[in-house]
Amino acid sequence: MFLVPLFAFPILGILNVILTRRHQENKTKIRGLQWSIASLVYFFFLWWATPSHYRFSFHTSIEWLTLHQVKLNWGPLAFAIDGVSIFFIGLTILLIPICILVSWTSIRYLIKEFVISLFLIELLLIGVFTTLDILVFYVLFEGILIPMFIIIGIWGSREEKVRAAFYFFFYTLVGSLFMLICIFKIYELTGTTNYLTLLTLELPSDLQTWLFVGFFLSLAVKIPMIPFHIWLPQAHVEAPVAGSVVLAGILLKLGGYGFIRFSFPLFPCASEYLSPIVITLSLIAIVYGSFTTCRQNDMKRLIAYSSVAHMGLVTLSIFTHSIEGLVASLFLMIAHGFVSSGLFMGVTVLYDRHHTRSIRYYRGVCSSMPLFATLMLCLTLANISFPSTCNFIGEFLSILSAFQYAWWAGVLACSGVILSATYALYMYNRIFFGSLSPMILHNREMTRREFDALLPLLVFTLVLGIFPNALLYGMTMGSYATVGSI
């Protein structure tokens, strides 16, 4: 029953917000923030209570679909957490109150609907990361599209927001249909969609290849991998700040989580056989994504393209098929969730004051916003994997696993690190240093609310970079459990 409150807090938050009168907008935000913080507090208790072996724990099951007339018994829906899923659940629960806080003044209409959409995303994501049924995973995986589509299409910042919402919706929906076909085939062969049962079965090796390809097409769109990345920059640029934080912070991680949870253990032969192709696409994403990032003039678009490069490093680490690679991919995804979300929030701080994201517009921001410049410097250094940040730990292990796989893969992975320093420091230098631009003479320092929203992400980035064992032990045990299930 430990998992029940994880689902209960978002549901109670939704009910509380619904019962709030519509004209009480400030009260709606406060209640949403209170319930999201309560969920975060409970998660820390759950993390403390998690067994040290980090295998599947806190099993919860629900009878779902039984038709005695046709002898159909789908079996109970099973939910549990382990050393892989618990970190993604924590990242989800951490980002929701930050999204509410950072959107406090930027969202001016349909406040109740906005808060409800965020709670729905939290509820669905918790289900995605705890379910032990691949069909339920697919349903929740696709269900996230609906509130995210609404957030981008209604509260987006520019006129092309509806187009960006449809880009996001249709790219991910069409890609996921291949996963649904594969799930039907798996059920036809085995008579079950229960994950733990499927781990004990061995699918035919020739069929594994086709099943792997189907899952790959669905998950690669979510990450997104090249050439399935077209929707990402458009969605990021048009989304409100909360949408960008959720997209960069957690939704891009669904693809990597799916690879680790399903593609790697369920289709081991196909995963090993097709890994050179996936690694090649990952290296292309690292190099091409970094070069494309260097030529961007829009701050949000620059950070969005940098995500393509960083997530390429994640998939590279996963398909090196080593413990170092699995741990690196998990650590990189968590670190990227902190840093990328913080950078998007920093861009919004400037956008709220000057209503433009063009890098050419800004210069000398450091003189009028020294505190903001300091926080952004720390996040920028983390984005280039500076030592003592959590990104450094993840990229170090990732490059180590790449060199263990092949020397040329390690060299190309290193080039991405060098290029990331190029575009990140160049952007920071153009915006914060130099003589003060005449267009921002009446600039003002960040507010207390903006500082409070950014601070937790920066604290986690630095603390986990200095004390990485806080996560590494659980990630290592979870990775060993994943490898041992093959």
Side-chain angles (χ1 to χ4, degrees), residues 46 83 254 379 410:
L46 187 68
L254 290 176
L379 290 172

Side-chain angles (χ1 to χ4, degrees), residues 98 201 380 413:
I98 290 176
L201 305 176
T380 302

Side-chain angles (χ1 to χ4, degrees), residues 67-139:
L67 294 176
H68 297 292
Q69 292 82 358
V70 294
K71 297 182 180 180
L72 174 63
N73 184 6
W74 203 276
L77 299 185
F79 297 88
I81 59 174
D82 69 337
V84 174
S85 61
I86 189 170
F87 302 106
F88 294 103
I89 295 171
L91 183 60
T92 301
I93 295 175
L94 173 66
L95 290 180
I96 296 302
I98 290 176
C99 287
I100 296 174
L101 195 59
V102 77
S103 305
W104 203 270
T105 58
S106 59
I107 303 299
R108 298 184 176 89
Y109 54 90
L110 299 176
I111 307 297
K112 290 177 65 174
E113 289 77 4
F114 176 76
V115 177
I116 290 171
S117 297
L118 289 178
F119 276 128
L120 278 175
I121 290 176
E122 179 181 4
L123 181 64
L124 292 170
L125 283 171
I126 292 173
V128 165
F129 294 130
T130 56
T131 183
L132 295 178
D133 190 290
I134 58 175
L135 181 61
V136 178
F137 173 84
Y138 171 81
V139 172

